[in-house]
Amino acid sequence: MEQCACVERELEKVLHRFVMYGHQSEERLDELLRSVCEIRGQLVAFGVQDADLSVLSQTMAQCCKNIKETVQMLASRHKDIHGSVSKVGKAIDRNFDAEISAVVAETVWETPERQKYLSETIVEHLYRQGMLSVAEDLCQESGVVIDMSMKQPFLELNRILEALRMQDLRPALEWAVSNRQRLLDLNSSLEFKLHRLYFISLLSGGINNQMEALQYARHFQPFASQHQRDIQILMGSLVYLRHGIDNSPYRTLLETNQWAEICNIFTRDACALLGLSVESPLSVSFASGCMALPVLMNIKQVIEQRQCSGVWTHKDELPIEIDLGKKCWYHSVFACPILRQQTSESNPPMKLICGHVISRDALNKLTNAGKLKCPYCPMEQNPSHAKQIYF
Ligand SMILES: [Zn+2]
C-alpha cells in the first residue's frame, strides 16, 4: 500500500500543478484579451486618422510584446508539468515491479486447451458481473462456445440482484417462493428475510399502509416456529406506526444496510442452490495471486541470487507455503512429513497400520526388502497393509 500512496502523492502534485496552470493561463489570457479589446475600442472610437500614429504603433508594439511574453511563459510552465508527469512514471517504475512474468512457468498458457479454460473462466466471470455484451464479444473473438444452460442461471441471478439493488423485492420473492422447499433444505432463511424486508418497507410508508402491513403479515405464518422472535418484533412495531417507526424503540428496523445484506444473502443462497461458488473463481484466483505475488517475487530473487535454481522445480507446487488468510481456506490438504510435498492424486496420503500418515512416494522410498519401518514410532510393518486416505 505504501507504494500506491507514493505514486498517488506524485499524481496529486501533477494534478495540483495542472489545476494551477489552468487558473493562471485563464487569468493571463483574460488580461490579454481585455487589453486587446481596449485598444480595438480606442481605434474604433477615434479612427486611425485622428490618432497619433507614433503613439498607436508604440501601444501596438507593447501589446504584441505582452502577448509574446505570456505565450512563452505559458509554454515554459507547460514544460514544467511534463517534468512532473514523468516523475509519476518514475515513481511507478521505482515502486512496482514491471516484470512479474518471471514467477510464472512459461508453459502455463501454452496449450490451446488451457487457453480455452482461461477464456471460459473470464467469460463466466463476466456473466457473473452482469457484463453480458462484453462476455458475448469475448466468446466471439476467442471462439469459446458457452452453453445456454450455463448462461441462464447467471442471467436470472443478475436480473434479480439488479432489482434488489433498486430496492425492488418482487423478483427475488418470486424466485424464493418457487424454490421454497429447496431453500429450506439448505437451511436458508432467505424467503423469510425477503418477506420481512417487504413488511418493513410497508412500515416505512406510515399509517396509510397499516392494513396492507397487517394483511402482508400472513406471509410470516410458515416461518412462525423458526423466526418467532423476529416476527414478534415486526408485529410489535405496528403499535408505533401512527407516531412513526423512526421515533420508536423499533427504529433499528429501518436501517438501510439491510438492503446490502439481503443482496449478499440472496447471492450466497442462490449460488448454493445452483451449485455455484459464491465468488467468481477468477476473482478468487486473482485476489490470491495478488497476495502471493510479492512473496513469490522475493523467492525468485533469492533463488537467482544464490543460484539454487533446483529449489523450484515442481510445476504445480510453490517452494514455500504462502499464508493467504483464513478466507482462502477451502479444504484440508496434507503435506507429507517425510518428502515435505503436498500430496496429490498420483501421490496420495497413506495411513500405516500404526496410525501415522505419509505419502505413497515416501512409503515406496522407505520400503526395504518388502518391509517398512515407520519413520515415527518406528513400528516395523508390511507396506501393503497401508491404506490410502481421502480428505
Ligand atoms: Zn508409526
Side-chain angles (χ1 to χ4, degrees), residues 100-128:
I100 54 167
S101 58
V103 294
V104 182
E106 283 160 18
T107 51
V108 167
W109 304 115
E110 222 166 43
T111 62
E113 200 189 13
R114 289 183 171 189
Q115 287 275 4
K116 194 176 135 246
Y117 280 144
L118 181 63
S119 301
E120 279 175 1
T121 314
I122 297 174
V123 169
E124 191 195 310
H125 177 81
L126 292 170
Y127 277 130
R128 275 173 179 265

Side-chain angles (χ1 to χ4, degrees), residues 352 354-356 374-379 381:
L352 308 180
C354 54
H356 290 114
C374 170
Y376 284 95
C377 46
M379 185 197 275
Q381 53 201 289

Side-chain angles (χ1 to χ4, degrees), residues 192-207:
F192 171 71
K193 291 205 161 130
L194 289 166
H195 284 309
R196 177 181 173 275
L197 212 51
Y198 194 90
F199 186 82
I200 291 173
S201 66
L202 287 175
L203 290 182
S204 60
I207 192 72

Side-chain angles (χ1 to χ4, degrees), residues 336 338-339 347 358-367 372:
C336 172
I338 305 300
L339 296 179
N347 178 27
I358 57 175
S359 68
R360 187 153 68 197
D361 282 357
L363 181 128
N364 291 338
K365 276 189 184 159
L366 292 170
T367 302
L372 171 78

Side-chain angles (χ1 to χ4, degrees), residues 169-209:
L169 288 160
R170 275 165 306 174
L173 267 168
E174 277 167 26
W175 185 88
V177 170
S178 62
N179 289 291
R180 179 178 290 164
Q181 196 48 49
R182 292 171 68 203
L183 282 169
L184 287 176
D185 291 345
L186 283 173
N187 217 2
S188 155
S189 52
L190 176 68
E191 192 189 338
F192 171 71
K193 291 205 161 130
L194 289 166
H195 284 309
R196 177 181 173 275
L197 212 51
Y198 194 90
F199 186 82
I200 291 173
S201 66
L202 287 175
L203 290 182
S204 60
I207 192 72
N208 294 335
N209 287 343

